[in-house]
Amino acid sequence: MISVSGAAYLLENDLDRYFVPGNVQPTAAGPLPDDELEARIEEVYSDSEVFMFTASSNPERAVLVVLRQETGTVTHYFDQYRGLDQGSSLPWQAKAYRWLIDFHDDLFIENGGRQINGWGAVVFLVMMLSGLFIWWRGKAQWHQGLYLSNKSPRGTLWQLHSVFGFWCLFFMFAWGVSGMLISIPDTFRTVTDTLGLSDILNMGLIGMADSEIQAMLDSGELEANAFIMNLGEIRADRSSGILDFMVDIHFGRFEAAWTKWALLLISLIPAAMFITGFILWWKRVVTRTYRKVINNS
């Protein structure tokens, strides 16, 4: 589920452009004058109370209209050039993929959901490392786990699980580590401090206690180039760190369009591996145990 909801996260902007009617095509005549625009909005939404409307500085963005109805407050987009309703600013399609995005962020748990997500990232890393251990075939045969082969003694399902798992290993590691960093930065900091990796990873002040940060601010210890990140944390430098690269992979923050679509396909592989892994586990554990019970009875 986290894998699928993560794919929705990557596609949010593209899905918004397709499903949310927030864009308009400007005309040569320009937008309606303010008084005409207000009158036209009141006319179009005569069955509702127009609470407010806001025009964007972008001429290609529609006016956002806030309406009060008996069922509650709703928002619509309005074409300021043609005087027409564009539709709801939150159609059911947008509700569906934003539902997935909310799940990906906080598991629908307002207090503590993100922390649970962070510990889920820890479990994901443990599973990844255990999978790598199972994948290893020894010095003589390890290369057989890099590709599919009809000569392999393993079945096709096992090979698919093994091969895709290996080639996506770095991405899964990046998702797990960045998931910890974002969700439970204090725990992540404790781990990196214990392993002596905080300076190597350029952790800055991420995960440090507020009291320690305040003390450093008061004493003037912070360098002049320190700044606040959008995650509410202070970093000394964010130019080219490996952690930043992993976070960029997590959110698909790359300029080239093809990278987002490549990451989208890769992000669905853990979901496929969950299915193949469950089938393999069922055959190897449940089915064998069942047969032993039947044979011994």
Side-chain angles (χ1 to χ4, degrees):
M1 189 65 178
I2 290 293
S3 173
V4 175
S5 59
Y9 214 127
L10 287 175
L11 289 177
E12 182 181 13
N13 291 334
D14 299 275
L15 293 171
D16 277 349
R17 282 193 290 269
Y18 190 80
F19 291 112
V20 179
N23 295 327
V24 291
Q25 184 65 42
T27 62
L32 297 173
D34 291 344
D35 54 344
E36 291 185 27
L37 177 63
E38 183 175 358
R40 180 58 181 162
I41 288 175
E42 292 284 355
E43 179 184 353
V44 171
Y45 304 112
S46 58
D47 58 341
S48 305
E49 176 190 351
V50 179
F51 176 66
M52 63 175 292
F53 60 90
T54 306
S56 171
S57 58
N58 184 349
E60 295 184 355
R61 291 296 293 174
V63 170
L64 183 66
V65 182
V66 181
L67 306 171
R68 284 178 173 170
Q69 300 177 344
E70 292 183 1
T71 56
T73 301
V74 297
T75 53
H76 276 238
Y77 279 115
F78 187 83
D79 187 339
Q80 65 269 37
Y81 298 95
R82 300 164 184 82
L84 300 173
D85 173 52
Q86 294 268 96
S88 171
S89 65
L90 192 62
W92 69 265
Q93 297 95 333
K95 290 180 180 178
Y97 59 78
R98 286 178 185 172
W99 179 87
L100 286 172
I101 292 170
D102 288 341
F103 176 81
H104 190 87
D105 280 340
D106 302 311
L107 306 175
F108 303 140
I109 302 173
E110 185 174 349
N111 297 318
R114 183 152 299 189
Q115 287 71 30
I116 295 173
N117 230 342
W119 287 106
V122 175
V123 173
F124 182 75
L125 287 171
V126 172
M127 291 180 64
M128 183 206 72
L129 293 174
S130 66
L132 181 61
F133 177 79
I134 295 172
W135 172 88
W136 180 252
R137 302 163 185 239
K139 294 182 180 180
Q141 299 180 333
W142 66 270
H143 58 86
Q144 295 179 5
L146 303 179
Y147 52 85
L148 300 175
S149 173
N150 55 10
K151 297 180 180 180
S152 173
R154 304 288 188 180
T156 302
L157 201 62
W158 178 282
Q159 290 189 70
L160 285 171
H161 190 88
S162 178
V163 171
F164 279 109
F166 176 82
W167 289 112
C168 294
L169 190 66
F170 173 75
F171 295 98
M172 291 189 284
F173 181 73
W175 292 325
V177 170
S178 57
M180 279 188 68
L181 177 67
I182 295 165
S183 303
I184 46 175
D186 51 346
T187 303
F188 190 88
R189 179 69 185 225
T190 300
V191 173
T192 57
D193 281 348
T194 302
L195 298 177
L197 297 175
S198 294
D199 291 337
I200 297 174
L201 294 175
N202 189 29
M203 286 286 291
L205 304 181
I206 286 182
M208 290 181 66
D210 292 343
S211 58
E212 295 180 75
I213 294 175
Q214 190 59 51
M216 295 180 72
L217 289 170
D218 294 340
S219 64
E221 287 184 52
L222 290 181
E223 298 179 6
N225 66 336
F227 64 94
I228 307 295
M229 287 181 64
N230 60 348
L231 294 176
E233 303 293 349
I234 302 177
R235 293 295 296 276
D237 180 15
R238 195 179 182 273
S239 57
S240 59
I242 183 63
L243 290 180
D244 300 312
F245 181 59
M246 290 183 179
V247 171
D248 288 341
I249 288 177
H250 198 118
F251 292 104
R253 294 173 180 167
F254 298 98
E255 293 184 6
W258 68 266
T259 58
K260 177 177 62 178
W261 295 104
L263 286 171
L264 173 66
L265 293 175
I266 296 171
S267 71
L268 295 174
I269 289 178
M273 291 185 66
F274 171 81
I275 296 172
T276 57
F278 179 81
I279 295 173
L280 290 169
W281 170 81
W282 186 271
K283 288 182 177 180
R284 289 171 60 87
V285 178
V286 178
T287 303
R288 287 182 181 180
T289 302
Y290 175 76
R291 287 175 179 172
K292 286 182 180 178
V293 172
I294 293 299
N295 292 334
N296 293 332
S297 61

